[in-house]
Amino acid sequence: MTSLPSPRAEFLRGIKESSPMLIGLLPWALILGVQGGQKGMSWLEMLLMTGMNFAGGSEFATVNLWVHPLPVLLIATVTLMINSRHILMGAAFAPYLKHLPLKKAMAVLFFMCDESWAMGLAEAQKRKAAGLGSLNLPFYAGVCFILYITWIGFAAFGAALGPLFGDVAAWGFGMAFPAVFLVLLKGMWKGFAAARPWLVSLLVAAATYLSVDGAWYVPAGTLAGLLTAYGFGERR
Amino acid sequence: MISWDSFIVFCAMLGVTYSTRLLGFFALRNRTLSRRAQTVMEAAPGCVLISVIAPYFVSDKPHELIAITLTVWAASRFSMLITVLIGVGSSGLFGYLFR
């Protein structure tokens, strides 16, 4: 076997191989930031939120629910539900993290988002086939570094720009929210049968929105969808 | 630039999101979830996302209903940037025409 590449080279390869994803990530971060800025979030608040949470879907939802006084419990609940997929992702990652000291494993998991998880796992599986069988830490660090910096940097930049645009709702910019969410949904699409709970969520949330004040339509719709998924669970 | 209640929200988000990342690693690494539990977990993010945007589907403004229909169509075919442009563009245009 030839000598292994240096950690530095692997770190740079991680940056290089994940850079095409930035084309998708960058406008998304900007849109999140601009929307946050429009809702009154400062660039520092956006930087803190994206830096501490680092999970895009829940950040879009939070910005959408951003009214004063802030509904802390509602935002935390919605964040939990959107990010519950991380539980399965972490479990799938576990066999490749076993060899790491706990501190490093905890750091790896902090930066685990859809993109870094997919890249890290694909690379680990390739290494397994070559008999190396573990997470390539420098490679993963490179992937996370560029994704993290881009995400929080451009979101904060967007938040600083947001207030410059004036009343963007009049220009139709309010439609950016559902547009982003619908594209996220398409990414999760696994056919009509698997999407039945989503339809139930939509109907119940819409009915609740029309009949009850406040943001209760979010938990009501979600709960109805989850119960539907539970009901269909054994049949699939 | 950061209010205390914003900071509390961010700490709550950090706690919740990081817990989901750690939970799978620590609790589920040597276990397989039941089919039912897997189905519920797979459906959960979609259920939340669609619930958050549900108000757009029952808007009392006709131009927003047309725009959301176009946006659903665009999302099924195009990337995020193009979908956002179509959604924002159609909402802005029809809003202007129907005003």
Side-chain angles (χ1 to χ4, degrees), chain A residues 27-28 41-45 48-49 52-55 62 64 66 68 70 72 75-76 78-84 86-88 90-91 94 97 102 106 109-110 112 170-186 188 190 197-198 201-202 205-206 209 217-218 221-222 225-226 229-230 233-234 236, chain B residues 1-3 5-14 16-26 28-30 33-36 38-58 63-65 67-68 71-72 74-81 83-84 87-93 99:
Chain A
W28 192 15
M41 288 176 86
S42 69
W43 67 267
L44 199 57
E45 283 178 323
L48 264 187
M49 178 178 78
M52 288 163 78
N53 183 63
F54 193 49
T62 299
N64 206 15
W66 198 262
H68 290 283
L70 287 165
V72 182
I75 289 176
V78 166
T79 301
L80 174 69
M81 285 170 161
I82 292 186
N83 294 334
S84 58
H86 286 150
I87 300 174
L88 287 178
L97 304 180
L102 192 60
M106 301 269 289
L109 289 166
F110 178 82
M112 183 184 74
W171 295 87
F173 279 90
M175 206 48 74
F177 263 129
V180 168
F181 279 33
L182 288 166
V183 175
L184 289 181
L185 280 166
K186 185 186 69 173
M188 301 171 189
K190 283 180 187 158
W198 299 358
S201 283
L202 176 64
Y209 171 75
Y217 60 90
V218 180
T222 305
L226 293 182
Y230 186 80
E234 295 291 318
R236 276 179 62 208
Chain B
M1 285 185 82
I2 303 170
S3 65
D5 50 342
S6 305
F7 189 67
I8 290 167
V9 167
F10 302 152
C11 288
M13 290 174 79
L14 167 73
V16 165
T17 305
Y18 199 23
S19 302
T20 61
R21 287 172 168 143
L22 295 178
L23 194 67
F25 176 67
F26 286 114
L28 300 177
R29 54 180 158 170
N30 299 319
L33 279 180
S34 74
R35 193 139 207 199
R36 207 183 268 270
Q38 264 187 31
T39 311
V40 172
M41 280 184 57
E42 277 170 19
C47 290
V48 185
L49 291 179
I50 199 112
S51 300
V52 170
I53 59 170
Y56 291 92
F57 289 87
V58 286
H63 75 270
E64 284 196 347
L65 291 175
I68 192 81
T71 310
V72 170
S76 69
R77 277 162 184 75
F78 304 115
S79 71
M80 197 195 68
L81 191 61
T83 306
V84 169
V88 169
S90 60
S91 174
L93 180 71
R99 202 166 290 147

Side-chain angles (χ1 to χ4, degrees), chain A residues 4 15 20 47 50 71 108 112 130 157 163 184 200 212 217 227-228:
Chain A
L4 290 169
I15 292 179
L47 192 75
T50 49
V108 163
M112 183 184 74
F157 181 59
L184 289 181
V200 173
V212 183
Y217 60 90
L227 287 173
T228 310

Side-chain angles (χ1 to χ4, degrees), chain A:
Chain A
M1 205 173 157
T2 52
S3 64
L4 290 169
S6 70
R8 195 186 128 85
E10 289 295 88
F11 180 81
L12 293 175
R13 188 169 66 86
I15 292 179
K16 198 177 141 211
E17 287 194 12
S18 51
S19 50
M21 283 194 294
L22 300 184
I23 300 166
L25 202 73
L26 202 148
W28 192 15
L30 263 180
I31 290 166
L32 172 72
V34 169
Q35 288 180 338
Q38 289 278 325
K39 287 270 193 162
M41 288 176 86
S42 69
W43 67 267
L44 199 57
E45 283 178 323
M46 184 56 73
L47 192 75
L48 264 187
M49 178 178 78
T50 49
M52 288 163 78
N53 183 63
F54 193 49
S58 54
E59 286 154 14
F60 273 103
T62 299
V63 168
N64 206 15
L65 299 169
W66 198 262
V67 281
H68 290 283
L70 287 165
V72 182
L73 198 64
L74 179 68
I75 289 176
T77 310
V78 166
T79 301
L80 174 69
M81 285 170 161
I82 292 186
N83 294 334
S84 58
R85 70 187 187 287
H86 286 150
I87 300 174
L88 287 178
M89 286 158 58
F93 230 18
Y96 302 100
L97 304 180
K98 271 183 187 159
H99 70 292
L100 290 177
L102 192 60
K103 245 197 239 168
K104 283 190 180 174
M106 301 269 289
V108 163
L109 289 166
F110 178 82
F111 291 101
M112 183 184 74
C113 61
D114 295 330
E115 292 84 356
S116 62
W117 176 78
M119 294 284 290
L121 200 66
E123 172 73 10
Q125 283 166 345
K126 250 192 269 166
R127 280 161 65 90
K128 197 177 172 188
L132 291 164
S134 62
L135 184 74
N136 183 346
L137 207 53
F139 174 82
Y140 180 80
V143 173
C144 293
F145 171 77
I146 194 71
L147 290 176
Y148 190 77
I149 294 293
T150 307
W151 183 249
I152 70 170
F154 279 90
F157 181 59
L161 289 181
L164 300 179
F165 289 102
D167 181 19
V168 289
W171 295 87
F173 279 90
M175 206 48 74
F177 263 129
V180 168
F181 279 33
L182 288 166
V183 175
L184 289 181
L185 280 166
K186 185 186 69 173
M188 301 171 189
W189 183 262
K190 283 180 187 158
F192 278 102
R196 282 175 300 197
W198 299 358
L199 185 65
V200 173
S201 283
L202 176 64
L203 294 175
V204 172
T208 312
Y209 171 75
L210 292 174
S211 50
V212 183
D213 274 343
W216 291 106
Y217 60 90
V218 180
T222 305
L223 197 65
L226 293 182
L227 287 173
T228 310
Y230 186 80
F232 281 127
E234 295 291 318
R235 271 188 259 169
R236 276 179 62 208

